[in-house]
C-alpha cells in the first residue's frame, strides 16, 4: 500500500503486453512496521543482535515473525485462488519491500530462521524470481542474492 511500491507497480504494468492482468492491493504484504525508531541506541541495537532480527520487535512496531504471519495468510489466500479458480495465471508478480521479500523466500522455500537472518535486503527495484518445480515446490532462480557474513 505504500506510495513507492504503488509507483513501482505502475511502471511494471506498463511493460506487460497482455490483456490478462489483474491487480490487487493487499495490506498484508506491506513492509515491516518499525514503530518508534527515535529510540534506537546502542543498547537497542545490541538487543536486536542478541535476540535476532527475526524475533526482535521495535517499540510500537513488529518483528519478522509478525511479518511471517501476514505473508503466510496472504499466500494461503493466493494458493486458494490459484488452485480453485478458473482462469488461473501462469505467472504472478508481487511488488513489495525488502524485508517482506526475505520473508516470502523464507515461507516459499521453507528456509530456517538462521537463513532468513543471513539474507540481506535486496537493492531497490531488485527482482527475485521463483520458479515452480514438480509437486508444487519452488526454487529461487535469481543469482547473486546478497548475504550477511
Amino acid at each position: 500500500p505504500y506510495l513507492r511500491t504503488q509507483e513501482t507497480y505502475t511502471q511494471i504494468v506498463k511493460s506487460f503486453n497482455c490483456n490478462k492482468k489483474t491487480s490487487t492491493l493487499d495490506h498484508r504484504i506491506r513492509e515491516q512496521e518499525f514503530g518508534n525508531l527515535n529510540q534506537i541506541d546502542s543498547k537497542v541495537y545490541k538487543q536486536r543482535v542478541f535476540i535476532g532480527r527475526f524475533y526482535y520487535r521495535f517499540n510500537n512496531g513488529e518483528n519478522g515473525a509478525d511479518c511471517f504471519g501476514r505473508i503466510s495468510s496472504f499466500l494461503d489466500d493466493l494458493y486458494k485462488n490459484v488452485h480453485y479458480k478458473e482462469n488461473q495465471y501462469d505467472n504472478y508478480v508481487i511488488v513489495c519491500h525488502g524485508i517482506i521479500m526475505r520473508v516470502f523466500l523464507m515461507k516459499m522455500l521453507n528456509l530456517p530462521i538462521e537463513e532468513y537472518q543471513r539474507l540481506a535486503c535486496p537493492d531497490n527495484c531488485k527482482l527475485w524470481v521463483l520458479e515452480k518445480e514438480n509437486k508444487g515446490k519452488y526454487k529461487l532462480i535469481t543469482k547473486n542474492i546478497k548475504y550477511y557474513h
Side-chain angles (χ1 to χ4, degrees):
Y2 298 143
L3 179 60
R4 187 167 54 98
T5 311
Q6 290 182 39
E7 290 171 345
T8 301
Y9 167 77
T10 300
Q11 296 306 312
I12 291 170
V13 167
K14 288 179 183 178
S15 70
F16 283 97
N17 288 327
C18 68
N19 58 8
K20 256 193 159 179
K21 52 189 172 201
T22 323
S23 66
T24 303
L25 177 69
D26 196 308
H27 295 276
R28 292 174 291 182
I29 62 172
R30 70 187 181 279
E31 183 64 325
Q32 178 180 357
E33 295 175 1
F34 289 99
N36 188 352
L37 292 177
N38 292 330
Q39 298 176 352
I40 300 289
D41 59 18
S42 62
K43 181 180 175 186
V44 169
Y45 180 77
K46 287 178 185 176
Q47 286 177 335
R48 186 172 184 229
V49 169
F50 179 74
I51 293 171
R53 292 182 314 176
F54 185 75
Y55 291 114
Y56 183 80
R57 182 178 286 115
F58 291 99
N59 188 24
N60 297 319
E62 60 183 350
N63 61 18
D66 297 323
C67 296
F68 187 85
R70 289 195 277 115
I71 296 308
S72 295
S73 170
F74 170 81
L75 286 172
D76 287 347
D77 288 349
L78 181 63
Y79 291 145
K80 287 176 191 171
N81 287 333
V82 169
H83 293 295
Y84 301 116
K85 284 190 174 180
E86 293 182 29
N87 302 323
Q88 297 174 12
Y89 299 109
D90 293 327
N91 299 293
Y92 290 84
V93 177
I94 298 171
V95 182
C96 57
H97 290 272
I99 291 171
I100 296 301
M101 288 174 69
R102 290 172 36 220
V103 173
F104 263 112
L105 281 190
M106 184 180 177
K107 176 70 176 169
M108 297 289 293
L109 303 178
N110 200 28
L111 299 177
I113 292 169
E114 296 78 21
E115 185 79 6
Y116 164 87
Q117 294 189 146
R118 286 188 52 239
L119 275 170
C121 280
D123 295 332
N124 286 342
C125 296
K126 180 73 174 176
L127 300 176
W128 286 354
V129 180
L130 296 172
E131 185 174 76
K132 192 173 187 179
E133 295 182 312
N134 295 335
K135 301 179 184 174
K137 300 277 184 186
Y138 289 85
K139 70 176 180 176
L140 179 65
I141 61 172
T142 303
K143 305 292 183 213
N144 301 322
I145 300 292
K146 295 179 184 178
Y147 287 90
Y148 294 112
H149 299 288

